[in-house]
């Protein structure tokens, strides 16, 4: 946890977080998180977990089982950005707050045992705009929903070899 008023300057390499205790926090930003263009690798030994930050550079999710989830929450402003790449190797990557916008500027890679689930996840049905500026490669499960006022944007295209579900209205 980065407490209010505190600062964490991450390495420009990889920061690996291994905590996961059945719904606890693996990463919580109430202060300042400087990502330094590094990778945050979430690799909890067990359990579901939560992360809280408005911005990551590269983010890799590798849960302990395919049915374990990580929820991402914003710290303020209802927007979450990944400036580089998002990779979901194992487990479910979900949004905690329904109306947050979610933007991935780089590549999105969903591996065979990974799920990108903003449709009907563990907590909320996502209603905010999801934008992928880079290519989305889905070998696992990608679930999403969008409306005319909150469209999903796949600006870099989609390579789908897994299950792709979109509940567009």
């Amino acid at each position: 946890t980065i407490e209010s008023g505190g600062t964490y300057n991450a390495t420009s390499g990889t920061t690996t977080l291994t905590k996961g205790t059945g719904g606890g926090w693996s990463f919580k930003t109430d202060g300042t998180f400087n990502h330094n263009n590094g990778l945050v690798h979430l690799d909890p030994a067990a359990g579901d977990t939560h992360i809280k930050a408005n911005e990551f550079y590269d983010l890799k999710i590798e849960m302990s089982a395919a049915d374990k989830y990580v929820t991402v929450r914003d710290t303020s402003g209802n927007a979450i950005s990944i400036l580089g790449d998002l990779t979901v190797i194992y487990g479910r990557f979900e949004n905690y707050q329904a109306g947050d916008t979610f933007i991935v500027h780089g590549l999105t890679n969903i591996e065979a045992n990974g799920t990108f689930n903003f449709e009907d996840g563990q907590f909320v049905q996502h209603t905010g705009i999801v934008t992928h500026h880079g290519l989305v490669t889905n070998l696992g499960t990608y679930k999403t929903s969008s409306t005319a006022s909150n469209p999903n944007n796949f600006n870099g295209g989609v390579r789908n070899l897994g299950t792709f579900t979109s509940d567009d209205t």
Side-chain angles (χ1 to χ4, degrees), residues 110-144:
I110 311 301
E111 300 294 330
N113 290 308
T115 300
F116 184 92
N117 186 357
F118 283 85
E119 179 191 4
D120 59 352
Q122 180 76 18
F123 295 99
V124 298
Q125 180 172 349
H126 189 259
T127 58
I129 297 170
V130 176
T131 300
H132 297 278
H133 289 293
L135 177 67
V136 175
T137 300
N138 178 41
L139 303 174
T141 303
Y142 188 110
K143 295 182 179 180
T144 187

Side-chain angles (χ1 to χ4, degrees), residues 2 16 28 41 43 58 69 72 95 103 106 110 113 115 117 128 133 148 150 159-160 163 165 168-169:
I2 304 166
T16 301
K28 184 178 180 186
H41 179 194
D43 187 13
D58 289 327
Y69 64 82
V72 61
N95 198 19
I103 302 168
I110 311 301
N113 290 308
T115 300
N117 186 357
H133 289 293
N150 289 316
R159 180 183 304 142
N160 182 46
T163 302
T165 306
D168 296 325
T169 55

Side-chain angles (χ1 to χ4, degrees), residues 152-168:
N152 291 316
N153 301 294
F154 297 94
N155 299 333
V158 176
R159 180 183 304 142
N160 182 46
L161 300 170
T163 302
F164 187 92
T165 306
S166 180
D167 176 24
D168 296 325

